[in-house]
């Protein structure tokens, strides 16, 4: 791990949407798609900083 990097350097890990967040209408920016996109960004930032993450 990079000595200057720590989990505190990352923004909070995105939280998955709850069932009632999705309307089931097939929206272009579905809550689940937004979550997965943000989670991917978060994981990439962690990897670039050498911070281990749980997959």
């Amino acid at each position: 791990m990079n000595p200057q990097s720590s989990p505190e350097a990352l923004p909070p890990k995105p939280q998955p949407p709850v069932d009632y967040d999705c309307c089931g209408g097939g929206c272009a920016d579905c809550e689940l798609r937004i979550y997965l996109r943000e989670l991917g960004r978060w994981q990439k930032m962690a990897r670039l900083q050498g911070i281990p993450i749980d997959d």
Side-chain angles (χ1 to χ4, degrees):
M1 178 173 5
N2 183 340
Q4 295 177 342
S5 297
S6 67
E8 294 82 32
L10 287 176
K13 184 176 182 179
Q15 297 299 306
V18 290
D19 290 336
Y20 57 81
D21 284 340
C22 179
C23 69
C27 301
D29 265 345
C30 173
E31 290 293 322
L32 184 56
R33 288 185 190 145
I34 292 170
Y35 163 70
L36 292 174
R37 183 173 53 230
E38 294 301 315
L39 180 61
R41 289 178 183 158
W42 185 87
Q43 290 171 332
K44 183 177 180 179
M45 283 192 304
R47 281 192 298 273
L48 288 173
Q49 294 181 30
I51 299 170
I53 56 173
D54 297 331
D55 285 336

